[in-house]
Amino acid sequence: MTALTVFILLCTVFTACADEPSTSSGGADIKSFWDSTGLGEMVWWAKRLIYAGLSLEVAKWDFGHLIDNLKLLVLMNPNPRSGDVLNYIGTFIKIVIPLYMLAIAVTGFYLLLISGSPKGRAKAKFLMRDLVVGMVAVSLSPLILQLLVNVSYQATDAVLSQTDIGIVTTSMTSVLGGTDPVNGVLCPLCVLHTFVTFIEIELGYYTFLPFFLVVWGSLVFFFLRFAIISLWMIIFPLSVLLYSFATTRDVGRNMLEQTILWIYMQFFIAVILVAVALCLTQRPAGFMSVGMANDLPSNIVEKTFIWYLPSVLFDFIPFIGCLVMIIAPLLMLRLFKGFLP
């Protein structure tokens, strides 16, 4: 990497020297030497080659981790009864329980000693019921969260077991992977990215985005979901407390809905992966096949350079599936908003 950095700096210096207008005979001699030896053209090709290689390498960092552990990433959940999470939940429980006890005492004092209107006493009775139920729910917060996580995990695992996730990962590798020296199959997006970069280096930014969105977007989504669920688990007692009072019920409802939706989002992701796998297995043979070698006899293909052209499937089904998986939070939070009473 150090040698590559030095090479990039040298290319930059040479390019600057070549582009700087000559004001002396020495500068003219350097420019003429530069032009006569063809170093300017070499640097032009080198810059694009370096960008094409480095951008693909950066975009596909941890791509192997995503492919090898896709099922584990989907099933990944924080443990609400683990040491760190349980300590934070316990801290909020210690804060919330005294507030519940104070609210129950005030409500009981109102019911026993203050003769309010029938409507007011009815509201106080409903409030007492909500307070008791809420205090029990807060006390059992780790068990309730563990139940939600277990149900989500079992349901997601049952959905993923209905098909082979390897179908999706294999297809993603064929689209986003590197060159296969054994079979001679080229990664179509890699070829497109390299070709477009040599035409105009700015155009390479757009062919870089599919790699970045699929690889980094998917990994960021999985770890972001893990972090968000951990946060909602920690403040779950506070969510229940806010849901127990009419004045703060809308805020508490939203917080509880977020907790449930982010936990069960993995089930939605599993359904997406199964749908992508079914699409891949039921597509017609040669679906969206491209390449000049497809319509030529096999003996011509094997004996000419056309054999090296990308005669592969531009299989964008898993790519679109990854995009849907990335925007899944927006879909779920929109579709299931307000399901709690």
Side-chain angles (χ1 to χ4, degrees):
M1 184 60 68
T2 303
L4 183 59
T5 304
V6 173
F7 180 70
I8 295 174
L9 293 176
L10 290 176
C11 291
T12 305
V13 172
F14 284 141
T15 305
C17 293
D19 294 337
E20 184 179 357
S22 301
T23 58
S24 61
S25 59
D29 293 339
I30 294 176
K31 187 175 186 305
S32 61
F33 173 78
W34 180 275
D35 295 335
S36 63
T37 56
L39 291 177
E41 184 176 355
M42 291 176 58
V43 171
W44 187 92
W45 286 96
K47 287 192 299 184
R48 281 153 178 78
L49 181 62
I50 290 171
Y51 170 74
L54 286 180
S55 58
L56 287 178
E57 181 182 356
V58 171
K60 293 194 293 184
W61 274 348
D62 291 331
F63 178 64
H65 178 76
L66 175 64
I67 295 299
D68 297 337
N69 303 281
L70 182 59
K71 184 175 181 180
L72 295 177
L73 290 172
V74 175
L75 295 173
M76 183 174 59
N77 286 313
N79 184 6
R81 303 183 69 180
S82 64
D84 296 334
V85 178
L86 187 59
N87 290 335
Y88 288 111
I89 295 177
T91 301
F92 275 92
I93 291 177
K94 293 177 181 178
I95 297 173
V96 169
I97 289 296
L99 297 178
Y100 266 111
M101 296 178 65
L102 177 62
I104 291 174
V106 172
T107 305
F109 179 81
Y110 175 82
L111 289 174
L112 295 176
L113 302 178
I114 299 177
S115 58
S117 63
K119 185 177 180 180
R121 295 181 65 85
K123 288 184 178 180
K125 291 180 181 179
F126 284 114
L127 177 60
M128 178 67 75
R129 180 201 61 186
D130 294 339
L131 291 174
V132 173
V133 173
M135 187 172 64
V136 173
V138 168
S139 303
L140 300 177
S141 293
L143 297 178
I144 294 175
L145 292 171
Q146 187 68 58
L147 177 63
L148 293 174
V149 170
N150 289 343
V151 172
S152 176
Y153 180 91
Q154 296 298 330
T156 304
D157 188 49
V159 171
L160 292 177
S161 63
Q162 301 300 315
T163 186
D164 184 12
I165 302 300
I167 299 173
V168 180
T169 56
T170 301
S171 182
M172 291 174 61
T173 304
S174 66
V175 177
L176 302 177
T179 303
D180 186 352
V182 178
N183 299 320
V185 178
L186 298 177
C187 159
L189 287 181
C190 299
V191 174
L192 179 62
H193 177 72
T194 305
F195 178 74
V196 170
T197 301
F198 277 103
I199 294 177
E200 185 63 43
I201 195 169
E202 285 78 9
L203 294 177
Y205 301 151
Y206 301 100
T207 52
F208 166 82
L209 290 179
F211 297 95
F212 187 80
L213 290 176
V214 171
V215 179
W216 287 78
S218 300
L219 291 173
V220 167
F221 164 75
F222 288 124
F223 289 99
L224 181 64
R225 173 183 172 272
F226 188 91
I228 291 177
I229 293 177
S230 301
L231 174 62
W232 288 122
M233 284 182 174
I234 291 172
I235 64 175
F236 180 78
L238 180 61
S239 303
V240 176
L241 175 66
L242 296 176
Y243 188 69
S244 301
F245 298 95
T247 55
T248 58
R249 179 155 298 173
D250 291 339
V251 178
R253 180 191 297 112
N254 187 35
M255 295 172 68
L256 291 176
E257 287 176 353
Q258 294 286 328
T259 304
I260 297 173
L261 289 177
W262 280 99
I263 290 176
Y264 284 93
M265 195 172 292
Q266 63 180 167
F267 178 81
F268 188 62
I269 300 303
V271 173
I272 294 175
L273 291 177
V274 170
V276 171
L278 291 177
C279 291
L280 293 174
T281 55
Q282 297 181 8
R283 65 187 176 186
F287 177 71
M288 297 182 69
S289 181
V290 297
M292 295 176 59
N294 294 330
D295 299 327
L296 297 177
S298 59
N299 58 341
I300 298 179
V301 173
E302 294 176 357
K303 294 180 181 180
T304 60
F305 73 95
I306 299 177
W307 182 77
Y308 294 97
L309 294 179
S311 178
V312 295
L313 295 178
F314 274 79
D315 195 356
F316 287 102
I317 297 177
F319 175 71
I320 299 300
C322 289
L323 290 183
V324 175
M325 184 173 63
I326 294 172
I327 64 175
L330 300 178
L331 295 176
M332 286 200 66
L333 299 179
R334 177 65 178 173
L335 293 175
F336 298 97
K337 182 179 180 180
F339 67 91
L340 286 178

